[in-house]
Amino acid sequence: MGAQWGDEGKGKVVDYLAARVDVVVRYQGGANAGHTVVVGEREYRLHLIPSGILRGKEAVIGNGVVVDPAALLREMEELAEAGCDLSRLHVSDAAHVIFPYHLLLDEVEENWRGDRRLGTTRRGIGPAYQDKFSRTGIRMGDLLHPEYLRERLFARVSHVNAVLRGVYGGQEFDPEEMFRLYCEYGKRLQPYLTDTAAYLTGALREGRKVLFEGAQGSLLDIDHGTYPFVTSSSPTAGGACIGTGVAPTLIDRIYGVVKAYATRVGDGPFPTEERGGRGNLLREKGREYGTTTGRPRRCGWLDLVAVRYSCQVNAFDGIMLTKLDTLTGFPRLPVAVAYRWKGELFREFPRSLKVLAECEPVYRELPGWEEDVSRARSWEELPREARDYVQLIEEETGVPVCLISVGPEREQTILLREV
Ligand code: IMP
């Protein structure tokens, strides 16, 4: 799972780990996520389907995910064209469905917020989870029962239309047309819909290995993140159980993916943000543009106060460090090890967003390196400065770094400890 604000490079790490497991499962979020995986000449951008499918593994979309059927079918077509075996895809019949009104509400609600906007990906994520929790949502399995679907959809659309009319004065929806379209989606997706909680628990009981692939990051968690500048799901460790129906006792290892520097998309406080030239340089060198929205990501230095907090919430067994190669060429590398607030120094991540917004990072400055680390394949091949950088992360978090990624290719990976 992501230990920062998303975009840590989970796609690459999951792809690497997927070689060692039988099943890969997504447990939260939706098409707001974007995982980039490079295999040979080809680059895959996956939003919903776990990237393990590229390794020929069983791929599961768990009940905690919100599924836009149109986006899912598009992704399936692309993967089929690339020769992927889609018979290995399993979608939870209890996952909630994203409808066109969720996309529109995401848009108009963001516009309504004006200066207080959250900077969402506008993929309908927040409104779909709102419906889930207010018990007006529709689940994937419901698409297979036209009468039930019709009743729920018509009730929901009439309410949505009243809100659109009364509050936003804009577009309204024709429930009949939407009903027909979603019945069609249901027919096309029927072969993939199943009770994935039973499937996963069965697989674990049989001794098969299951990898839970987080989307977004711990600091975007609805409960434990920088609320309200968060997503509407639980990317933290506990979310893996809720979002799949697999009990906590069946999960035996938790790994956090940490990017060697920090980025954030969307609004919200970001203490180590670097607005000047060095931030732009990080963005260009790290190709920090959203996989889903193409938005330029805000860039800054590694924030170990935030990462330490993620380690607390998730109890990571190990850290997978990504994009170390992007830091090559910076003469000095600031790393935040504490915050200063109103003259006081502290090492804990603040609970209050207001305090966080006023915090100044306290940096340890490490010397950088010039050597091209993207060719390194072992610890010994890394320059001393890069090794010191990694060791500082271990010291400050108390969590061992198990894997270092030094480029987008599968081979550009250094395994330090068996995982
Ligand atoms: P939402 O998930 O579209 O509602 O967006 C809420 C916040 O989460 C915004 O700040 C988004 O930029 C951020 N967010 C959502 N998905 C991702 C992701 O995959 N990577 C990074 N940030 C994300």
Side-chain angles (χ1 to χ4, degrees):
M1 60 191 48
Q4 292 149 306
W5 280 286
D7 309 315
E8 296 92 351
K10 294 180 293 295
K12 146 93 192 246
V13 173
V14 167
D15 174 67
Y16 181 84
L17 296 178
R20 299 148 182 255
V21 305
D22 305 298
V23 185
V24 185
V25 51
R26 272 278 306 270
Y27 57 86
Q28 43 71 230
N32 51 347
H35 287 173
T36 310
V37 182
V38 179
V39 186
E41 299 287 289
R42 212 177 156 133
E43 188 172 280
Y44 296 87
R45 282 161 190 247
L46 298 175
H47 300 285
L48 272 168
I49 300 178
S51 40
I53 198 142
L54 297 170
R55 292 274 194 187
K57 305 297 173 166
E58 301 296 320
V60 176
I61 296 180
N63 56 276
V65 175
V66 283
V67 180
D68 180 340
L72 176 59
L73 286 162
R74 261 198 313 275
E75 214 162 282
M76 287 166 66
E77 273 163 26
E78 276 170 37
L79 286 173
E81 265 169 40
C84 232
D85 177 8
L86 285 173
S87 68
R88 296 177 182 279
L89 176 66
H90 314 272
V91 181
S92 169
D93 53 10
H96 278 249
V97 183
I98 295 195
F99 285 88
Y101 49 82
H102 293 127
L103 301 176
L104 183 71
L105 287 170
D106 203 357
E107 185 89 28
V108 294
E109 285 173 6
E110 268 290 83
N111 294 341
W112 184 269
R113 287 182 199 114
D115 290 348
R116 302 161 82 101
R117 71 179 182 278
L118 304 174
T120 76
T121 59
R122 306 196 179 207
R123 293 295 184 278
I125 306 300
Y129 280 113
Q130 273 174 44
D131 277 7
K132 171 174 173 170
F133 285 96
S134 54
R135 291 151 293 175
T136 50
I138 293 171
R139 309 202 290 179
M140 291 300 285
D142 300 339
L143 301 183
L144 308 181
H145 301 283
E147 272 173 37
Y148 183 67
L149 173 65
R150 171 183 276 275
E151 185 197 317
R152 305 251 331 150
L153 186 62
F154 274 60
R156 188 70 197 113
V157 170
S158 84
H159 182 243
V160 167
N161 279 345
V163 171
L164 289 173
R165 206 168 36 241
V167 180
Y168 300 105
Q171 178 190 344
E172 289 181 36
F173 289 97
D174 172 3
E176 187 61 46
E177 196 187 314
M178 204 182 291
F179 168 70
R180 271 192 251 117
L181 180 65
Y182 276 70
C183 281
E184 189 54 39
Y185 288 154
K187 278 192 201 134
R188 289 174 65 189
L189 291 170
Q190 183 166 20
Y192 306 94
L193 295 184
T194 186
D195 176 355
T196 50
Y199 172 79
L200 291 167
T201 301
L204 284 162
R205 295 264 186 233
E206 284 164 17
R208 300 170 78 200
K209 292 198 174 106
V210 178
L211 176 64
F212 297 75
E213 168 179 349
Q216 288 87 44
S218 297
L219 301 172
L220 290 172
D221 186 279
I222 185 81
D223 286 280
H224 306 291
T226 51
Y227 192 89
F229 297 99
V230 291
T231 191
S232 298
S233 67
S234 305
T236 44
C241 297
I242 302 288
T244 58
V246 171
T249 47
L250 295 180
I251 296 178
D252 55 9
R253 290 281 186 288
I254 306 172
Y255 293 102
V257 183
V258 174
K259 185 153 59 182
Y261 50 98
T263 60
R264 178 161 203 174
V265 219
D267 295 70
F270 178 8
T272 62
E273 182 168 14
E274 180 74 34
R275 288 208 175 81
R278 289 192 299 176
N280 296 338
L281 196 56
L282 277 172
R283 182 175 311 109
E284 292 317 312
K285 289 182 71 169
R287 296 203 294 158
E288 296 293 351
Y289 294 88
T291 314
T292 301
T293 58
R295 287 183 290 178
R297 295 178 184 141
R298 300 157 65 194
C299 294
W301 306 113
L302 180 61
D303 183 345
L304 289 179
V305 184
V307 172
R308 253 195 320 262
Y309 172 67
S310 277
C311 292
Q312 174 220 302
V313 173
N314 298 295
F316 295 135
D317 292 287
I319 285 175
M320 315 294 197
L321 184 67
T322 60
K323 297 187 106 166
L324 190 65
D325 52 304
T326 302
L327 295 182
T328 300
F330 286 95
R332 304 205 62 79
L333 296 169
V335 176
V337 291
Y339 289 157
R340 195 183 306 279
W341 184 65
K342 297 203 165 160
E344 220 180 300
L345 206 71
F346 52 102
R347 284 172 56 83
E348 295 77 34
F349 196 68
R351 301 284 303 156
S352 149
L353 189 89
K354 190 168 175 316
V355 173
L356 180 66
E358 292 168 4
C359 278
E360 274 183 39
V362 177
Y363 286 119
R364 271 269 301 271
E365 280 225 339
L366 273 70
W369 58 86
E370 286 294 333
E371 295 87 339
D372 178 10
V373 296
S374 70
R375 293 165 192 279
R377 297 292 176 272
S378 68
W379 178 248
E380 292 71 30
E381 286 175 276
L382 289 174
R384 187 176 53 77
E385 292 81 3
R387 293 197 302 236
D388 288 347
Y389 193 83
V390 175
Q391 272 169 349
L392 179 69
I393 297 171
E394 293 190 328
E395 281 162 25
E396 285 287 328
T397 60
V399 179
V401 173
C402 298
L403 177 153
I404 302 175
S405 169
V406 289
E409 303 286 340
R410 280 177 175 169
E411 310 73 59
Q412 292 178 299
T413 308
I414 303 172
L415 190 64
L416 300 179
R417 290 179 173 84
E418 213 31 66
V419 288

